[in-house]
Amino acid sequence: MQRHTYVIDHDYRIVYFDEAAKRLFPSAQEGGLCYKLFRNAGKPCEDCPWNPDQPDLAVQTLIFSPERDQWYEITHLEVNWFERGPCVLFSGKPIDDQSRGLFAMLGEPPSYDALFELNLTDDTYRMLYSDSSKYNTTAPAGKLEPLPAESVNRRVHPDDRLVFQEFWSFATLLDRIEQAGGVLRNEFRRLLSTGEWGWTAQTVVPVKRGERGETVVMCFVSDVKAEEGSRKNLAERVRIRQLRERDPLTDLYNASTFFAKAKALVEKHPAQDYEIAYLDIEHFKLYNEWHGHEAGDAILRAIADWLALIAQEFDGVAGHLGSDDFTIALPLGSVTEENIETQLKRPPFDSEETIGFQPAIGVCHIGDNDNAVNLACDHAMIAMTAVKGTYAQRVAWYEKSMAEELESEAKTLLEVKEALKNREFVLHWQPQCSTRTDRIVGLEALVRWQHPERGLVMPGAFIPMLERNGFIASLDLYVWDEACRHLRSWIDCGVKPIPVSVNISRADLYAIDVVEALESLVQRYHLDHGLLELEITESAYAEDEKMATAVNRLRELGFTILMDDFGSGYSSLNMLKDITVDVLKIDMRFLSRSDDSRRSKGILEAIVSMARLMDLRVIAEGAETKEQVEFLQNIGCDYAQGYYFYRPMSTEALEELLAQDGIVDYRGLFSPRMEAIDVNALMKGDETSRAVIENLIGGLAVYAVYSDRFELMQVNNGYYRATGCNSVDLHERQYLISKQVPAEDLPFVLNLFDQAELHPGVGAEGTFRRYRLSGELMWMRMKIFFLRREQDHSIFLASVADATELRASAHK
């Protein structure tokens, strides 16, 4: 425990105080009266350990501070302080918890019946207090040495006299007190004033070393039964106060007590400026889910211990407001980025398990109005939100502009309420398209605000604000209803509908019954569940068990679930095996956010490949260039949305677009796809097959060849690039693929398969004409290898390439 030091002159004016004393007494200043500044008293303290008549020897004593509910060990010494002449130096520290508990108990007169001061040096005693109605007492003062023998003969029960004499052996008393940890205690039967025997406890503790350096101890005598009752009452009062004032998990002040204590602290030191720090742990719910609530509670207790130490060091007040929210009131300037950074390098935040779960801290100066503490806490919370998600910065100081933003948000919220009532929000639509045919397979409904004064307002100007303030559910309900209304309208007009996706916010789960609301909408508008697709964010699914539960219920009802922004938050490829969704949406901006484009492309390709293995569809968002779309084609991502295809458009523009022939692929996202080549299954450990696979590049296809035709079994992505077809259309024609070859070229192709079977190690190669699925005639170069014979057909693996341009240049 830290010692504090200060010096006063003989007129009780402060001439010096160190930093520890400054923290203990923030209002202290040189020249001020110590009793006024330290205790707000109008005259010298009655229990002041210094007496102007004492000689200049060191004296040690104990003093209790009611203001801090703390006992202090004080040493004072007369000194000549530089140019100030005779002064008194005080040095003090809080006494340990054991002694504090003892003196807190003894600080109440009813807890003891007699009190003696025993001067071991002078061999004298003084009776400071005695309940004459309970005990036959000795003389109020006298020589110490004969006192134990007198007590043994006249006041101690015969069966306890030997133990009593050993207890009061002055030759060993001090050593036994030290061995007992500073407090020596035993119980004896003593003669009561009624003539009966009663059990008493005698407690001995060294209290002070007097003005001449003599050794003094105090002896407290108490009735055991009364003491037990007093202890129980005291413990009960302490327990009730703890329950009323303290959070049971962290032992910090609860919310109501914190604000009361912080307000009292500020009012007690009007010359000192204070600040509030508000602390919240990033993604704490997710931490509990990953590591369990026991580990989460350990994090909370660690933060509480940290804040309690800071509060003690700077004479502040710390509180736990509930969940993972903490606050602390400290002298202005106590919180710095440097000391916060230092704390965050200590346990438990120095482990890998807490990466991504660091505290975010906001700080605000406490003003001087009646509601200053509460207001400062609110402002500190606003500042805290500014650093959430920005891991390079962990602490932010409140600025006035934040309050102005808050006022602006309040005004906007009122406008939103009116806008919903006036139906000022309108839907815009962005088509989702095939990357190979450009045909539309679905729509995403996006909301815009048709403001009467500001015109068309984009969602970035109001959706984040609604999410922060918990009002997003009102807008989401509106959007869901509008999407269903438009679907019903198109159906009633005879237009064949295509699926529309809408967003579900995590906040919706806590504001409304999402499952009931969506099911009610499709029933009211008589819609097939598959027409209303539901988008959730990956972070909401990963962090919130409530979202995962809702997703399962919605899928059981027949809704299609899309996971938005997959790969940008908490996911790993391993997560794919656990999610229960139908479609993954990946963001092309993921490529631009990374300095390593090659690695980012590799990650997207891995996501697409694993999604295909698990029969999940993938839609890429933000496809803006031809190069991006070609990249998506190459990695097998069949669907995308973005400016390359269409910008979000109004309902009128969308209806005009959908009226065009061939613009929509009504088979949608979930049409059966052509099977991808399983290389391992093809090779079956055969070295010839392995050599074939390792020497092939580009498009690959697996064929089943009969006597009069051949069928397509599996292809790779390169096949689509070579032929210009797509997975869905190819799947529909895979058993009729030989009809894509002109009748006059078919014998040539079948002969190539025969030659490949006759020469399995070399294979066969040739160029022939083939119709693309669009009807255009192309030249295909194919090299074929025989794999195996199966009943009435043979299996071949072929590499394919587009030889149209090469053939044309050769005939010029």
Side-chain angles (χ1 to χ4, degrees), residues 52-69:
D53 298 329
Q54 290 178 342
D56 55 347
L57 292 176
V59 178
Q60 188 175 18
T61 189
L62 296 173
I63 289 182
F64 181 73
S65 171
E67 293 88 349
R68 290 176 173 76
D69 190 26

Side-chain angles (χ1 to χ4, degrees), residues 314-332:
F314 293 99
D315 193 25
V317 178
H320 183 202
L321 304 184
S323 185
D324 59 323
D325 297 317
F326 295 83
T327 187
I328 186 169
L330 296 167
L332 188 65

Side-chain angles (χ1 to χ4, degrees), residues 162-434:
L162 181 60
V163 177
F164 183 86
Q165 286 177 318
E166 291 176 352
F167 182 81
W168 282 111
S169 173
F170 295 125
T172 61
L173 182 62
L174 293 178
D175 290 338
R176 284 183 287 123
I177 291 175
E178 184 175 353
Q179 291 171 6
V183 179
L184 191 64
R185 173 189 167 92
N186 211 331
E187 296 179 357
F188 316 97
R189 280 166 289 186
R190 178 172 173 168
L191 187 63
L192 303 178
S193 59
T194 61
E196 299 174 338
W197 296 101
W199 282 98
T200 62
Q202 297 194 7
T203 304
V204 182
V205 59
V207 175
K208 65 179 181 179
R209 291 177 178 84
E211 54 269 19
R212 300 190 311 279
E214 68 269 35
T215 300
V216 178
V217 299
M218 305 292 282
C219 175
F220 300 87
V221 181
S222 58
D223 183 293
V224 171
K225 289 184 178 180
E227 183 184 84
E228 288 179 353
S230 177
R231 285 179 180 173
K232 289 180 180 178
N233 290 337
L234 179 62
E236 184 66 16
R237 289 198 301 272
V238 170
R239 189 180 73 85
I240 292 173
R241 188 175 67 177
Q242 285 283 104
L243 291 173
R244 188 174 64 247
E245 296 185 349
R246 300 277 181 172
D247 170 68
L249 174 64
T250 63
D251 199 36
L252 293 181
Y253 289 125
N254 57 32
S256 60
T257 308
F258 166 78
F259 287 113
K261 294 284 186 181
K263 183 178 180 182
L265 177 69
V266 173
E267 291 175 349
K268 184 177 179 181
H269 305 289
Q272 171 69 55
D273 284 337
Y274 285 87
E275 63 190 1
I276 286 278
Y278 192 104
L279 183 149
D280 177 271
I281 305 172
E282 295 264 17
H283 314 303
F284 184 66
K285 289 183 179 178
L286 181 61
Y287 185 89
N288 275 333
E289 290 183 14
W290 283 8
H291 302 291
H293 286 277
E294 186 174 337
D297 289 347
I299 288 284
L300 297 179
R301 284 191 291 267
I303 291 178
D305 292 344
W306 165 32
L307 293 179
L309 286 174
I310 294 174
Q312 181 179 6
E313 180 181 357
F314 293 99
D315 193 25
V317 178
H320 183 202
L321 304 184
S323 185
D324 59 323
D325 297 317
F326 295 83
T327 187
I328 186 169
L330 296 167
L332 188 65
S334 301
V335 180
T336 66
E337 291 191 59
E338 290 75 19
N339 60 32
I340 292 298
E341 184 177 350
T342 299
Q343 292 293 340
L344 293 180
K345 291 178 181 177
R346 297 176 179 174
F349 298 107
D350 59 343
S351 70
E352 291 184 5
E353 289 185 348
T354 57
I355 293 175
F357 303 102
Q358 300 289 310
I361 301 167
V363 186
C364 180
H365 172 249
I366 299 177
D368 55 3
N369 56 62
D370 292 339
N371 198 35
V373 173
N374 298 67
L375 187 62
C377 190
D378 291 341
H379 288 172
M381 181 175 64
I382 294 171
M384 176 271 297
T385 60
V387 294
K388 272 199 165 185
T390 58
Y391 295 103
Q393 182 185 359
R394 291 288 82 204
V395 58
W397 279 262
Y398 177 76
E399 298 176 0
K400 187 178 179 181
S401 60
M402 297 177 181
E404 294 171 351
E405 181 180 346
L406 192 65
E407 292 177 6
S408 176
E409 284 193 356
K411 180 181 178 182
T412 304
L413 285 173
L414 291 175
E415 287 188 296
V416 167
K417 183 179 179 181
E418 289 299 311
L420 287 169
K421 185 166 60 177
N422 299 331
R423 307 192 69 81
E424 294 173 10
F425 290 100
V426 296
L427 296 191
H428 278 214
W429 316 84
Q430 186 169 38
Q432 298 158 342
C433 303
S434 166

Side-chain angles (χ1 to χ4, degrees), residues 538 563-569 584-594 600-601 603-604 607-608 618-624 628 631-632 637 639-642:
E538 178 200 346
M563 179 174 282
D564 195 16
D565 213 15
F566 184 84
S568 63
L584 302 181
K585 297 189 77 173
I586 55 177
D587 197 330
M588 296 301 292
R589 289 176 298 178
F590 179 76
L591 298 177
S592 63
R593 288 199 294 263
S594 172
S600 298
K601 289 181 177 179
I603 292 172
L604 291 182
I607 291 173
V608 172
V618 179
I619 300 175
E621 293 184 283
E624 299 182 352
Q628 288 178 331
F631 166 73
L632 294 174
C637 182
Y639 305 103
Q641 67 184 85

Side-chain angles (χ1 to χ4, degrees), residues 531-542:
L531 288 176
L532 188 65
E533 300 178 339
L534 311 174
E535 293 195 21
I536 62 171
T537 63
E538 178 200 346
S539 59
Y541 187 91

